[in-house]
Amino acid sequence: MVQDRFGIYLHIPFCRAKCRYCDFYSAPGTREVPQPFVDALLRELRNNHRRPDTLYFGGGTPALLSPTQVRSLIEAAAPLPGAEITLEANPDVVSQQSLAGFREAGVNRLSFGVQSASDPQLRTLGRTHTADGAALALAWARQAGFDDLCGDIMLALPNYTNAEFDATLDLLQTGGCTHISAYLLKIEPGTAFARHRPANLPDPDAAADFYLYAVKQLEAAGYRQYEISNFARPGHEGRHNLLYWNCRDYWGVGPSAHSCLGNVRRFWPDDTDAFVAGTLTEQEEGICDAEDFLLMQLRLTAGLDWDEYVHRGGTPLDARRKAFLRQCVGHGYAEFDGRTLRLTPAGMVVQNAILEELM
């Protein structure tokens, strides 16, 4: 991978409604992105003189931006030719006109938060779209000329079944998705679900089974797993997120956005008003060290190059770790050829325990 690849992440902290599981910094109850906020992003982008080859609009709900606002931000970021430019969207906030406008503005990759093909489940999650609405949004996106379409599936929801997963996969596959993110529901502190835990959640063993079933079905449908929660048709892997997992440079802009530049991690505090006013400054979070590299690389099916880990300051393999890795291989959790360590899907289920032992 090219060493000097660089990405920009723009955090758009506005959404119509807060989902019950969401712990991202966002301001619900808005139907558009205020122009002063866009002006603040443009102000910060003027300080950057490094052209990115990935640009990612995340949120919140970035599709609340107007195509004109998106165009101005893309022009300010000045991405390189052939750059991957991704915009996250909720199915119910887009239209044929807005999707055509986003494509014309330069967006070439859309990521839809579909989560489930079950309308009752979507209501439980606090989503404001329907399964039919998601299918229509995907059709509109194809009509607008988007060849890279991503869809999210949330696993192990209340009263979850393999049939619900199959229906959601069918919706995304029929809708033309080239990339699918499938991840387990996690009850995060401060969320509505943390305050009022939903009934009939699968236990950890059942959740693990749902994950392994999803991996198997996605592979059978032609979506190759390349990261713990991400699957893509060949050539459609997410280039921006690969920067994170490969510990490459990326710059986040906006309240709550994070960066890693030159192995130094930084972040913007959660304060939209101060960001707009220009009184918010990035804070240093720490160094991206060898342990961060290990943690990120073991998310990838390509695995961890142990020599590179040691080169970055990690601990060489000792007798204890070698014995532990032999156990992991024997139990079907990992593959290890003496240099590259790869976790299997079963190993990814227990990734935290493996990381704890290795670190």
Side-chain angles (χ1 to χ4, degrees):
M1 183 172 291
V2 178
Q3 292 291 324
D4 60 355
R5 284 187 174 169
F6 169 62
I8 292 178
Y9 171 87
L10 302 179
H11 189 66
I12 313 298
F14 301 95
C15 55
R16 287 185 177 176
K18 189 85 166 178
C19 298
R20 295 189 177 111
Y21 56 84
C22 179
D23 70 330
F24 292 120
Y25 175 68
S26 63
T30 53
R31 303 189 66 83
E32 60 185 18
V33 179
Q35 186 59 38
F37 182 83
V38 176
D39 292 340
L41 290 174
L42 293 170
R43 178 192 67 220
E44 298 301 328
L45 286 170
R46 283 194 289 270
N47 297 323
N48 174 60
H49 303 289
R50 187 175 174 186
R51 297 183 70 185
D53 64 358
T54 67
L55 176 61
Y56 195 101
F57 292 83
T61 308
L64 291 175
L65 289 161
S66 71
T68 299
Q69 291 173 324
V70 168
R71 181 188 295 276
S72 68
L73 291 166
I74 292 174
E75 290 176 350
L80 291 165
E84 175 193 271
I85 303 176
T86 305
L87 183 134
E88 291 180 351
N90 286 349
D92 60 320
V93 304
V94 297
S95 65
Q96 285 180 292
Q97 293 75 24
S98 68
L99 289 171
F102 292 144
R103 186 69 190 91
E104 187 178 348
V107 177
N108 52 30
R109 186 171 182 266
L110 286 176
S111 181
F112 282 105
V114 175
Q115 315 307 357
S116 176
S118 163
D119 287 347
Q121 192 75 270
L122 291 170
R123 290 192 291 271
T124 296
L125 295 173
R127 303 294 291 175
T128 52
H129 68 274
T130 63
D132 286 347
L136 184 59
L138 287 166
W140 286 342
R142 295 197 309 275
Q143 292 169 12
F146 284 98
D147 297 321
D148 269 331
L149 292 174
C150 316
D152 291 350
I153 301 179
M154 190 170 283
L155 310 171
L157 301 172
N159 300 300
Y160 204 65
T161 64
N162 287 340
E164 181 176 339
F165 172 83
D166 291 340
T168 310
L169 173 57
D170 181 66
L171 188 159
L172 297 182
Q173 191 173 12
T174 302
C177 284
T178 53
H179 185 287
I180 292 176
S181 297
Y183 49 93
L184 296 167
L185 171 66
K186 185 178 180 183
I187 307 298
E188 300 285 1
T191 63
F193 273 176
R195 293 188 292 272
H196 303 286
R197 190 177 182 86
N200 301 318
L201 285 173
D203 63 29
D205 287 341
D209 288 341
F210 285 128
Y211 173 79
L212 294 174
Y213 179 81
V215 172
K216 180 181 177 181
Q217 295 300 100
L218 284 160
E219 293 279 1
Y223 298 92
R224 184 183 67 88
Q225 184 177 27
Y226 69 99
E227 192 266 347
I228 188 170
S229 299
N230 285 276
F231 307 76
R233 299 203 182 282
H236 293 275
E237 296 81 5
R239 285 159 48 189
H240 183 82
N241 283 352
L242 279 167
L243 293 176
Y244 302 160
W245 301 320
N246 283 306
C247 296
R248 307 299 182 188
D249 279 2
Y250 60 92
W251 180 42
V253 189
S256 190
H258 288 249
S259 306
C260 186
L261 295 169
N263 286 328
V264 177
R265 296 193 179 280
R266 298 181 297 172
F267 71 97
W268 295 84
D270 300 349
D271 192 332
T272 299
D273 290 340
F275 178 74
V276 170
T279 58
L280 198 68
T281 57
E282 284 186 278
Q283 308 294 309
E284 188 169 317
E285 192 171 16
I287 299 297
C288 180
D289 59 17
E291 304 308 324
D292 293 309
F293 181 72
L294 181 148
L295 187 151
M296 291 290 107
Q297 291 284 278
L298 285 183
R299 295 181 62 97
L300 297 170
T301 57
L304 168 75
D305 183 322
W306 204 278
D307 290 351
E308 176 66 16
Y309 168 63
V310 172
H311 176 73
R312 289 171 176 259
T315 305
L317 276 174
D318 54 22
R320 181 187 66 80
R321 286 188 176 85
K322 287 179 180 178
F324 173 70
L325 292 181
R326 283 195 296 270
Q327 289 180 337
C328 288
V329 172
H331 288 297
Y333 294 144
E335 299 171 353
F336 185 55
D337 61 8
R339 174 168 177 169
T340 302
L341 173 63
R342 299 181 180 88
L343 299 186
T344 65
M348 289 180 174
V349 170
V350 294
Q351 184 195 48
N352 288 341
I354 292 173
L355 288 170
E356 184 177 346
E357 185 69 25
L358 291 177
M359 293 171 66

